[in-house]
Structures are given as structure tokens and as C-alpha cells.
Amino acid sequence: MILAVDAMGGDHAPRAIVEGVVQFLAERPKQQLEIRLVGDELKLRSYDIKDPRVTIVHAPSVIAGEDEPVRAIRRKKDSSLVVAANLVKSKEADALISAGNTGALMTAGLFVIGRIEGIDRPALAPTFPTRNGKGVVILDVGANPDAKAEHLLDYAIMGSVYAEQVRGIDRPKVGLLNIGSEAGKGNALTKETYPLLETAPIHFVGNIEARDAMSGDVDVIVTEGFAGNTLLKSTEGAASMIMGMMKEQFMSSLSSKIAAFILKPKLKKMKQLLAYEEYGGAGLFGIAAPVIKAHGSSNAYAFSRALAQAEQMVEQQVVSKIIEAKATKEI
């Protein structure tokens, strides 16, 4: 297995990326894995990576966070992201992982690697934390703000395959994000999508409201990119606010500091359950090879989890199974 890594993308690149790669490989000392670490060769060699399974592929330029995605992909063909995507396109690597510009990664996936035949609109799909600790896959969270009912049907099939094959969930429950649980609720899009999901080869359990998204009642949530991105940002903001307010209260007096000390193991566990690092990255589903978007602020551990996610997608042949499910309508 060969994984192509954009070493220059992300807030803490290349250090966090290199350290994540080293950590990932150290956990698999005997596995036949190879990493194509793509970026500025001089900078990458300064880390003196000892593992012989790492090969540095030189790419002199970088696509920055503020770059316009389509223009950057077209003009910066020697960038770490484009060079890494071309490794996947040419079958020199099996998957692409980047913590860089999300729009540029999606554009590279679409125009360099290419779409799965029959999937018109790829979806960006992270795993959210849930109360029961299982996590829930939500797609789409921003790849396509305007989607049609048939696109959401594709999302449901792809999400179900991923939840079953990578996350190990037997007969994953799929819910449609809506403003009410009743079948007749919603806007024109959700009303049109609902009957399609009822007859799809998935375990569709009906509508789910945003307040229940992190309950653990479903394993996959389907929505269009505008609502999905709004849900993503609002839950991230709420989690950050709650943790911040708790910290302020626990530090406000001597008695509360003592209470915080006693509760420290529980608070640490709660923080771990809410941490994005534990869930890897967001898969870009609908692309002809596994593409993982790691969080832009990924530290070494978070990036190692994104690599593990890509590894699982390659091992379980998720793209092939999505193609098969799309063609045969059987999961």
C-alpha cells in the first residue's frame, strides 16, 4: 500500500505532517506500507526521517489557504497537493491525504484524480462525536451547497458503505437531516429525497433533527452541503464554548479547583470524546480513489489518525464497493 501525503498543507506543516507520518509508521513496524511524502525536499530532509518506507517527492510550491482553488490547481502544478494527486491518478499511490486548503483538495480530487462514474457530486464526510462514543458520519458538510435528491441518495449509499466497511458497523442506520422527525416535514429537497431513501438499499430510519445529530441514534446523516456545513460549524462552536465555560467555572475559586482536580479523569475523557483528533479526517466520497481531508490544525496524532483512516479505506476497498453498490444497488 502506498499513501501520497501532502506534506506542506495545514497550519502546522510540515512538522506536524512529518511527525504524524513517523507516528503512523511506528505503530505498524512490520506492515508493508510506503509513504510518498510530497513537498519541499530541503525542508523535509531536515527532519532526518529514519524509516526506509518514506520516500520524499520534491514539490517546490504550496497552495495556501487563501488561494482560489480552481486557479491554484491549474497554475500551481508543481505544488505539493497537485503532485500528490497526480501520484494517485497515475496509480503510483493508492490514496491522498492532506490537511491543506479544503477547496483545492476537492478540486484536485475532481479534476486530477476524477469522479466515480455515476456519482455527479462528491461529498465531504467527517465523523462527528456522539454521546455513546460510536461517532456518526455526516455527508455532505460543504462540498456541494446546492444538491438534488439523487445526490443525497448517492450520499446515503456511500455513507452506508463507509460506515459498514471502515467503521465496522453492522447494518448502519441512515437518517435524513430535517426540521422534524415526521415523514412529511421539510423543504422541497428533503420531501423529494425521503421516498428515494425509503426504497434505497440502505437501512433508512427516517428523519433526524439537528438536536439529535450527536445522540448516537443513527450512524450516517445525509444532508446537502449548506445545512451540513452549518451543522458542523455550530457544533464545533458549541463544544468549544461549553469546554471554555466549564474551565472558567472550575478555575473561579479554590473549592471549584479542588472539584476540578477530583473530576480531572472524567473531564479528560469528555474532552477526548469531543476531540476531532480521535476521528481522523473527512473523507471525500465519490472520488475514484480514497481522499482524506485532515483538519487544518491537525497535530501529529490527528494526522496519524487521518492516515489510518486512508489505510482502512484502501484495505477495505471502499471505492470499489461504492462503485459496486452504485451499479448493482446492493449493499
Side-chain angles (χ1 to χ4, degrees), residues 65-120:
E66 63 272 12
D67 285 343
E68 196 282 317
V70 176
R71 186 180 297 112
I73 294 298
R74 287 175 176 169
R75 294 183 179 180
K76 294 187 176 182
K77 297 188 183 298
D78 60 349
S79 66
S80 55
L81 177 57
V82 175
V83 172
N86 273 304
L87 290 175
V88 177
K89 179 184 179 181
S90 63
K91 310 296 183 184
E92 295 174 71
D94 300 300
L96 169 62
I97 306 94
S98 174
N101 184 313
T102 302
L105 180 63
M106 290 191 293
T107 303
L110 282 168
F111 298 117
V112 179
I113 299 172
R115 285 193 297 258
I116 292 173
E117 186 176 353
I119 302 291
D120 292 330

Side-chain angles (χ1 to χ4, degrees), residues 273-314:
L273 287 171
L274 291 172
Y276 72 87
E277 292 98 331
E278 298 297 325
Y279 296 91
L284 186 56
F285 295 157
I287 301 301
V291 175
I292 302 295
K293 170 64 177 76
H295 202 289
S297 60
S298 290
N299 57 21
Y301 177 73
F303 199 80
S304 74
R305 296 307 90 203
L307 288 165
Q309 186 180 2
E311 176 192 32
Q312 285 184 292
M313 288 187 70
V314 175

Side-chain angles (χ1 to χ4, degrees), residues 23 32 50 53 58 85 92 163 168 186 216 224 231 237 282-283 293 296 308:
Q23 183 175 330
Q32 300 213 343
K50 304 293 186 184
R53 293 174 291 178
H58 183 55
E92 295 174 71
E224 37 75 28
L231 177 63
K293 170 64 177 76

Side-chain angles (χ1 to χ4, degrees), residues 25-249:
L25 291 174
E27 294 169 355
R28 298 157 175 78
K30 297 183 179 180
Q31 285 183 230
Q32 300 213 343
L33 287 164
E34 292 183 40
I35 301 290
R36 298 287 186 266
L37 197 59
V38 185
D40 186 306
E41 185 172 7
L42 188 62
K43 289 181 179 178
L44 296 177
R45 291 207 180 279
S46 69
Y47 292 97
D48 192 25
I49 304 166
K50 304 293 186 184
D51 198 308
R53 293 174 291 178
V54 177
T55 301
I56 294 174
V57 179
H58 183 55
S61 68
V62 178
I63 293 177
E66 63 272 12
D67 285 343
E68 196 282 317
V70 176
R71 186 180 297 112
I73 294 298
R74 287 175 176 169
R75 294 183 179 180
K76 294 187 176 182
K77 297 188 183 298
D78 60 349
S79 66
S80 55
L81 177 57
V82 175
V83 172
N86 273 304
L87 290 175
V88 177
K89 179 184 179 181
S90 63
K91 310 296 183 184
E92 295 174 71
D94 300 300
L96 169 62
I97 306 94
S98 174
N101 184 313
T102 302
L105 180 63
M106 290 191 293
T107 303
L110 282 168
F111 298 117
V112 179
I113 299 172
R115 285 193 297 258
I116 292 173
E117 186 176 353
I119 302 291
D120 292 330
R121 299 285 183 89
L124 195 60
T127 300
F128 279 30
T130 55
R131 192 165 56 218
N132 60 7
K134 282 200 314 179
V136 57
V137 180
I138 301 184
L139 62 172
D140 172 36
V141 298
N144 298 292
D146 300 302
K148 297 179 180 178
E150 54 266 32
H151 300 148
L152 268 60
L153 172 60
D154 288 341
Y155 298 169
I157 293 172
M158 292 190 292
S160 185
V161 170
Y162 176 79
E164 184 175 39
Q165 299 300 326
V166 174
R167 309 206 69 244
I169 299 170
D170 183 43
R171 203 163 175 256
K173 297 176 182 177
V174 180
L176 176 64
L177 187 66
N178 211 327
I179 58 171
S181 59
E182 301 86 354
K185 286 279 189 176
N187 56 15
L189 176 61
T190 55
K191 288 177 181 178
E192 187 180 351
T193 301
Y194 195 100
L196 295 181
L197 299 186
E198 281 187 305
T199 58
I202 57 173
H203 182 27
F204 178 55
V205 295
N207 292 325
I208 185 166
E209 296 182 66
R211 65 184 176 186
D212 299 318
M214 299 172 74
S215 65
D217 292 339
V218 297
D219 306 299
V220 180
I221 294 176
V222 176
T223 184
E224 37 75 28
F226 187 90
N229 192 266
T230 302
L231 177 63
L232 172 68
K233 299 293 173 57
S234 59
T235 50
E236 282 182 344
S240 178
M241 181 192 69
I242 290 168
M243 296 303 293
M245 290 173 67
M246 287 176 63
K247 185 176 180 179
E248 287 177 7
Q249 292 300 314

